[in-house]
């Protein structure tokens, strides 16, 4: 049998292995266990289709793969005896409607948390732990691509660069890296981040590094690389001594950070320059019910009514004030420390809002492509709130870091 034994009948959302026993053009009958069958219907699986690759490249790989296959005939797609992975889509008495489970060839990671109330909501390390045990949200082996740009743009804004600063788009060479561009494509700094212009951004990065030890920032024995690392650390980066060297490729995200660290950095911008609260543990109690540790804010959506009242009482006993170096971590009633100027954070955030509205992230607000025949039109609703963020694209990775408000 393929269905779990001893757990009753499968319910909506259960995923199981099944064996194809009969098929027509529009339906496939799938055996889930002894005397238990379900049905795959064409209209529920229009997204599926055979995997096809484009022409082979001379240097290896292919020019492209099928991204919109549109299944049209179930009889051609399945054969009796095929073992397939399905999910229970609907259940009505003895009728069980199934949907194919897409098994991705790629892996991904997701980190999400509420900036105001604090506490991590989601940590996704991959598609299936049985297939791969890597916790990608903690892995710092992936280059961050253009999601690095807001980090040093914020530093340059903090140093006094105006968003209207005129930048050249010509080829750039320096700090051990050479980038190619078009000399006639001049652009202001605001648009350079919005359009993710590489050579213009390299100039911003280089100027930010030079300015860390010039003018009002000048100190005896000042080291630009250390100042640069300090800014990234304040933003939320981890292990900067190992992962940031001050080489020119870092302007285009040639350095690596974990998704958790990138989420923390963008959360600093969303919190107007304050370090976001990201405790992984909200509360610990002993067997007697005594609270050993509690990291719950009054607005935490996951808190019980009793915990919300307790957190409000805690704040009443200890009026909020900013954290100081002498405070214990997450001390009662302490606001997170101000890591960067709120003006700098707001300016960078406003620039990232434009990235979503009309820059490289504008598709984030567009309806997804749909089929006229299927219920997948339900996913076409537009995002109903403001968003800010930055895309990052490599030959082998795709990033998006951002936030809504």
């Amino acid at each position: 049998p393929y269905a779990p034994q001893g757990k009753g009948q499968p319910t909506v959302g259960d995923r199981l292995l099944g064996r194809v026993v009969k098929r027509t053009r529009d339906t496939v009958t799938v055996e889930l266990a002894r005397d238990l069958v379900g049905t795959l219907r064409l209209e529920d699986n229009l997204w599926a289709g055979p995997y096809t690759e484009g022409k082979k490249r001379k240097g290896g790989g292919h020019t492209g793969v099928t991204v919109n296959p549109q299944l049209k005939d179930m009889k051609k797609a399945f054969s009796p005896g095929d073992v397939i992975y399905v999910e229970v889509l609907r259940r009505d008495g003895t009728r069980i409607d199934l949907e194919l489970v897409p098994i991705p060839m790629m892996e991904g990671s997701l980190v999400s948390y509420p900036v105001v109330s604090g506490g991590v909501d989601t940590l996704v390390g991959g598609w299936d732990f049985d297939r791969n045990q890597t916790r990608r949200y903690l892995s710092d082996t992936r280059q961050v691509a253009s999601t690095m740009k807001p980090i040093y743009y914020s530093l340059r804004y903090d140093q006094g660069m105006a968003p209207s600063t005129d930048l050249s788009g010509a080829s750039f060479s320096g700090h051990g890296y050479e980038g190619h561009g078009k000399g006639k494509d001049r652009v202001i700094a605001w648009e350079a981040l919005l359009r993710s212009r590489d050579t213009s951004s390299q100039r911003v990065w280089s100027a930010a590094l030079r300015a860390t030890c010039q003018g009002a920032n000048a100190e005896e024995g000042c080291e630009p690389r250390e100042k640069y690392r300090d800014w990234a650390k304040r933003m939320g980066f981890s292990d900067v001594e190992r992962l940031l060297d001050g080489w020119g490729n870092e302007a285009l995200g040639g350095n690596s950070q974990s998704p958790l660290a990138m989420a923390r950095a963008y959360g600093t911008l969303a919190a107007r320059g304050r370090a976001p609260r990201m405790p992984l543990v909200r509360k610990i109690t002993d067997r007697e019910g005594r609270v050993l540790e509690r990291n719950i804010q009054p607005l935490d959506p996951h808190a019980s009514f009793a915990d919300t009242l307790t957190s409000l009482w805690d704040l009443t006993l200890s009026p909020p004030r900013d954290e100081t170096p002498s405070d214990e971590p997450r001390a009662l009633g302490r606001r997170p420390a101000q890591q960067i100027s709120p003006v700098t954070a707001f300016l960078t955030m406003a620039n990232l809002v434009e990235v979503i509205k009309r820059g490289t992230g504008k598709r984030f607000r567009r309806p997804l492509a749909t089929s006229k025949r299927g219920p997948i039109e339900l996913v076409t609703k537009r995002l109903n709130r403001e968003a800010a963020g930055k895309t990052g694209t490599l030959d082998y990775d795709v990033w998006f870091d951002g936030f809504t408000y």
Side-chain angles (χ1 to χ4, degrees):
Y2 308 108
Q5 295 299 294
K7 298 183 179 180
Q9 296 289 317
T11 59
V12 173
D14 284 351
R15 291 183 171 183
L16 356 147
L17 289 175
R19 182 170 64 88
V20 174
V21 293
K22 186 170 65 175
R23 80 253 198 263
T24 66
R25 180 187 178 280
D26 296 316
T27 62
V28 172
T29 302
V30 183
E31 182 187 28
L32 303 174
R34 185 178 300 170
D35 300 325
L36 181 65
V37 296
T39 304
L40 275 175
R41 302 183 186 278
L42 180 64
E43 62 266 24
D44 295 328
N45 296 274
L46 292 173
W47 55 267
Y51 174 81
T52 57
E53 296 177 335
K55 297 179 180 179
K56 290 186 177 181
R57 292 192 181 115
K58 290 183 179 180
H62 297 81
T63 57
V65 298
T66 300
V67 293
N68 190 24
Q70 292 294 302
L71 183 62
K72 297 179 180 178
D73 190 340
M74 302 286 266
K75 199 168 185 178
K76 293 181 179 179
F78 300 94
S79 299
D82 286 349
V83 176
I84 57 178
Y85 194 30
V86 294
E87 179 177 324
V88 179
L89 186 62
R90 290 180 294 271
R91 185 75 191 264
D92 183 11
T94 58
R95 172 178 164 175
I96 303 176
D97 287 339
L98 305 171
E99 181 182 25
L100 287 169
V101 175
I103 301 178
M105 298 181 68
M106 65 180 73
E107 288 286 359
S109 179
L110 172 67
V111 178
S112 71
Y113 63 95
V115 174
V116 175
S117 60
V120 176
D121 277 347
T122 308
L123 289 175
V124 176
W127 185 77
D128 188 343
F129 189 77
D130 289 335
R131 184 169 77 169
N132 191 305
Q133 289 79 44
T134 301
R135 296 180 293 175
R136 288 172 181 80
Y137 54 84
L138 291 177
S139 173
D140 59 11
T141 60
R142 316 301 298 189
Q143 294 179 342
V144 297
S146 291
T147 59
M148 178 66 184
K149 290 174 181 174
I151 307 303
Y152 59 81
Y153 268 80
S154 64
L155 172 57
R156 192 71 184 107
Y157 282 146
D158 194 70
Q159 294 167 346
M161 180 185 74
S164 58
T165 300
D166 185 53
L167 299 170
S168 169
S171 298
F172 177 84
S173 180
H175 301 278
Y177 188 82
E178 182 174 345
H180 300 283
K182 298 179 180 179
K184 63 180 181 180
D185 292 341
R186 300 194 70 85
V187 66
I188 62 173
W190 187 270
E191 292 288 322
L193 179 57
L194 190 154
R195 306 290 180 190
S196 201
R197 296 289 179 85
D198 286 346
T199 54
S200 300
S201 295
Q202 285 176 299
R203 287 176 166 81
V204 173
W205 179 87
S206 180
L209 210 62
R210 293 195 308 270
T212 54
C213 289
Q214 294 177 354
N217 299 310
E219 299 175 4
E220 185 177 352
C222 181
E223 171 57 48
R225 185 175 65 173
E226 295 305 317
K227 290 286 187 179
Y228 164 59
R229 285 173 169 172
D230 178 65
W231 180 267
K233 188 174 183 179
R234 286 158 57 190
M235 289 283 291
F237 274 28
S238 59
D239 204 1
V240 293
E241 289 77 13
R242 178 173 65 90
L243 299 175
L244 286 179
D245 291 318
W247 292 105
N249 67 326
E250 293 174 8
L252 305 183
N255 56 297
S256 59
Q257 280 289 316
S258 68
L260 192 63
M262 294 304 294
R264 188 163 50 239
Y266 278 71
T268 301
L269 297 174
R272 299 296 195 272
R274 292 186 181 273
R277 296 184 184 273
M278 299 177 66
L280 298 180
V281 176
R282 281 180 164 85
K283 186 169 74 169
I284 300 175
T285 60
D286 63 13
R287 67 178 63 186
E288 306 296 332
R290 291 184 294 248
V291 177
L292 304 179
E293 182 174 350
R294 183 171 53 238
N295 300 308
I296 298 176
Q297 298 298 313
L299 296 178
D300 192 330
H302 304 288
S304 66
F305 182 68
D307 283 332
T308 299
L309 288 179
T310 302
S311 62
L312 286 170
W313 178 248
D314 288 343
L315 290 177
T316 303
L317 294 177
S318 181
R321 67 174 177 81
D322 289 351
E323 287 180 344
T324 64
S326 61
D327 283 331
E328 293 293 325
R330 299 186 296 276
L332 183 65
R334 303 295 183 262
R335 285 190 296 260
Q338 191 76 45
Q339 299 295 332
I340 65 174
S341 162
V343 175
T344 298
F346 178 81
L347 183 58
T348 309
M349 185 189 75
N351 206 164
L352 295 179
V353 169
E354 290 294 300
V355 172
I356 301 300
K357 285 185 175 180
R358 57 188 182 90
T360 57
K362 62 185 178 182
R363 291 194 175 186
F364 186 68
R365 296 190 65 87
R366 290 182 178 177
L368 300 178
T370 60
S371 166
K372 294 181 180 179
R373 297 183 59 185
I376 53 176
E377 290 178 350
L378 294 175
V379 303
T380 62
K381 293 182 179 179
R382 291 176 183 268
L383 189 70
N384 61 356
R385 62 184 66 187
E386 286 289 358
K390 185 70 184 74
T391 57
T393 309
L394 298 163
D395 289 343
Y396 41 83
D397 276 335
V398 177
W399 283 77
F400 178 81
D401 292 323
F403 47 90
T404 57
Y405 62 94

